[in-house]
Amino acid sequence: MTDAATARRATATPAVPATADAFKVAFRDHPAGVALITGITPDGPVGLTASSVASVSAEPAALSFSVTRATGSAGGLLAADSVLVHFLGAQHVDVARAFARSGQPRFTLEQGWSRLETGEPWLADSPAALRCRTLHVVQVGGSSLVVAEVLDVFLGDQSPSLVYRDRRFHRLDHTAREL
């Protein structure tokens, strides 16, 4: 039996070792909001899909996110003067997929991109976008945890949220009945 299967079926034992497989299984069932983080580099715009965005503080406004490497789009975001964190609606699932895979079309007019006056690529029809400046980068294993100060907030129209669970995108409708 694999570590993941052991973790899934651990009924007699209260805990299993914190292996990478067990950790991944635990987080697969934990839904997360989907964001798209964009920035501008000397080589052009960069961006990636992230499910790791979290609120850190309301005063001063700050958020965090993580990236799993310091190359490619992630490296560009780490080096950017500022980034734009877009909270995606369900209507953005194709954009989220494109930015989650290498080699997919990005920043196309059909996807709805424009630019802020400060240069960051902006998906203007996102429910919310937060322009941020990195305050701290903490290396944790092969990942980088970014804590960023929120400089500006752009609020769009409310729409059903896009969430990620068990390696798939899902729609979370705000009109769903509360439990």
Side-chain angles (χ1 to χ4, degrees), residues 62-105:
L63 59 78
S64 68
F65 62 89
S66 64
V67 294
T68 57
R69 59 181 184 202
T71 60
S73 293
L77 293 173
L78 291 171
D81 291 334
S82 60
V83 297
L84 198 58
V85 178
H86 303 81
F87 295 155
L88 299 184
Q91 72 273 20
H92 298 114
V93 67
D94 291 335
V95 175
R97 286 185 177 123
F99 280 78
R101 298 183 187 123
S102 295
Q104 297 296 306

Side-chain angles (χ1 to χ4, degrees), residues 5-179:
T6 301
R8 172 69 59 215
R9 292 169 183 79
T11 56
T13 307
V16 297
T19 63
D21 282 345
F23 183 80
K24 289 176 185 177
V25 167
F27 267 89
R28 266 187 210 119
D29 281 341
H30 182 69
V34 180
L36 188 58
I37 305 170
T38 61
I40 193 72
T41 71
D43 296 327
V46 293
L48 55 80
T49 302
S51 60
S52 61
V53 176
S55 168
V56 173
S57 171
E59 290 187 34
L63 59 78
S64 68
F65 62 89
S66 64
V67 294
T68 57
R69 59 181 184 202
T71 60
S73 293
L77 293 173
L78 291 171
D81 291 334
S82 60
V83 297
L84 198 58
V85 178
H86 303 81
F87 295 155
L88 299 184
Q91 72 273 20
H92 298 114
V93 67
D94 291 335
V95 175
R97 286 185 177 123
F99 280 78
R101 298 183 187 123
S102 295
Q104 297 296 306
R106 297 179 177 191
F107 301 110
T108 68
L109 289 176
E110 296 78 25
Q111 291 171 335
W113 291 100
S114 60
R115 294 226 181 170
L116 294 178
E117 289 182 15
T118 49
E120 299 91 350
W122 181 35
L123 192 58
D125 70 339
S126 61
L130 298 92
R131 193 170 77 85
C132 305
R133 177 178 50 228
T134 298
L135 295 173
H136 307 285
V137 177
V138 179
Q139 299 302 312
V140 182
S143 296
S144 297
L145 174 65
V146 177
V147 177
E149 171 188 22
V150 178
L151 304 171
D152 299 299
V153 176
F154 300 88
L155 297 174
D157 292 333
Q158 187 178 34
S159 66
S161 299
L162 184 61
V163 297
Y164 192 72
R165 180 183 175 270
D166 196 19
R167 299 180 183 180
R168 293 180 298 203
F169 293 104
H170 301 272
R171 174 190 175 111
L172 181 61
D173 196 328
H174 67 276
T175 62
R177 193 180 69 153
E178 184 179 341
L179 301 177

